[in-house]
Amino acid sequence: MFDIIGTPELAAEVTMQPVRRLGVDAAILFSDIVVPLKAVGIDVELKAGVGPVIDSPFRTAADIDRLRPLEPDDVAYVADTVRILVGQLDVPLIGFAGAPFTLASYLVEGGPSRTYARTKSLMYSDPATWKELLSTLADITSAFLRVQVDAGAAAVQVFDSWAGALSPDDYQQGVLPASSEVFDALADLDVPTIHFGVNTGELLALMADAGPDVVGVDWRVPIDVARQRLGPGVAVQGNLDPAVCLTPWDAIEAKVRDILARNARRPGHIFNLGHGVLPETDPDVLRRIVELVHTGG
């Protein structure tokens, strides 16, 4: 995967394929949230069936010194991919990056986790180190997103994939400041920003407080309830359960229509899955979902 990401022509081709096949209204850059970590010298490997694995996990304040600032030249291949895509696409391109908390969780845990026990332990036991780590990662994330926008990305999405492991109080005190740093650093770019997390129904309003234009909603919270929690002025993205795509079309159609009905044609809704496409999904089902949404359900 890193080989593909690091080869602009290949990364552009992978990005283009779902646009050609499915007829979606935007493309999302083919990349991975750990790309900027690898670019600044962290030894990270993408293991099949596992995900990102860090060779030497972070354990102390001294480990933060291993994170140097991200320079545009570190990810020049990403900028090249974006430029290729902007020249080929007739729909907007969405760039993306990992949020400080999710990147920190990989660095501290050494890879994916069920409990995030080490991450939470650092946050609780050494708030100063935790704050420095997240602020450092916020700088890396915002720098990575700026590279993509400068190359032509029309919008950017910040994935806080594992923020749902936190209580609202822990998120507000330990994560929200760094996430806000990211969105504040992008404020001068005049591109839409999206903030997404998994199992973050109790955090939606706080995620909006970080400053994005759009908040992604997974399938655990109905879209109309999410809108109530977010209040006016924030668009929503989501939120079909990816598992629904494996069921008969009648069931899929009913779920899609339900989401559209709950949104009630209010502006500021990006119809999407509530998380990623499951590997066993038939692409033709996704194409039919796109067509159904385009017709208004």
Side-chain angles (χ1 to χ4, degrees):
M1 184 167 176
F2 280 140
D3 288 343
I4 296 174
I5 293 169
T7 308
E9 293 78 11
L10 293 179
E13 172 59 25
V14 176
T15 301
M16 290 287 296
Q17 286 182 1
V19 179
R20 298 191 196 105
R21 185 165 186 176
L22 306 180
V24 290
D25 299 312
I28 187 158
L29 180 69
F30 181 75
S31 187
D32 190 271
I33 63 172
V34 296
V35 164
L37 296 181
K38 189 175 181 67
V40 299
I42 300 300
D43 190 354
V44 55
E45 178 184 358
L46 293 174
K47 288 193 174 181
V50 178
V53 175
I54 307 298
D55 184 58
S56 299
F58 283 33
R59 293 288 182 261
T60 68
D63 286 314
I64 300 175
D65 293 337
R66 294 158 54 190
L67 292 170
R68 62 172 175 80
L70 179 78
E71 302 294 341
D73 286 348
D74 296 326
V75 286
Y77 53 91
V78 174
D80 289 343
T81 301
V82 171
R83 282 189 283 266
I84 291 172
L85 287 165
V86 170
Q88 295 181 356
L89 286 166
D90 56 6
V91 296
L93 174 67
I94 303 172
F96 77 91
F101 173 78
T102 292
L103 294 180
S105 75
Y106 281 118
L107 291 173
V108 175
E109 301 288 343
S113 171
R114 292 179 181 272
T115 64
Y116 302 93
R118 288 186 180 274
T119 306
K120 292 181 181 181
S121 177
L122 178 62
M123 180 171 62
Y124 300 146
S125 64
D126 193 347
T129 294
W130 175 256
K131 181 179 180 180
E132 182 184 359
L133 174 60
L134 259 67
S135 184
T136 301
L137 290 169
D139 290 341
I140 290 172
T141 292
S142 57
F144 186 46
L145 291 171
R146 290 190 77 93
V147 166
Q148 296 172 55
V149 173
D150 288 345
V156 290
Q157 182 159 235
V158 178
F159 283 85
D160 212 350
S161 306
W162 312 134
L166 300 173
S167 71
D169 283 348
D170 286 344
Y171 180 89
Q172 185 170 28
Q173 296 172 25
V175 176
L176 180 57
S179 294
S180 297
E181 285 182 42
V182 172
F183 290 105
D184 288 347
L186 304 175
D188 65 308
L189 295 179
D190 194 30
V191 296
T193 55
I194 308 167
H195 200 189
F196 173 75
V198 180
N199 202 14
T200 50
E202 298 301 320
L203 305 178
L204 290 176
L206 291 170
M207 292 176 69
D209 287 345
D213 300 300
V214 184
V215 173
V217 184
D218 74 10
W219 65 92
R220 296 171 179 86
V221 180
I223 204 75
D224 52 336
V225 175
R227 278 196 175 275
Q228 292 171 6
R229 295 181 183 181
L230 289 165
V234 181
V236 294
Q237 176 179 279
N239 66 341
L240 183 69
D241 185 342
V244 170
C245 299
L246 306 180
T247 64
W249 177 251
D250 288 351
I252 297 170
E253 184 177 13
K255 288 290 188 180
V256 171
R257 291 185 186 278
D258 179 66
I259 293 169
L260 294 174
R262 287 177 180 274
N263 186 63
R265 295 187 178 274
R266 283 177 289 187
H269 176 210
I270 303 169
F271 189 96
N272 204 347
L273 299 184
H275 199 199
V277 176
L278 298 174
E280 57 268 41
T281 304
D282 180 356
D284 192 56
V285 168
L286 302 177
R287 180 188 58 76
R288 293 182 69 183
I289 290 172
V290 171
E291 291 177 350
L292 178 60
V293 173
H294 280 164
T295 62

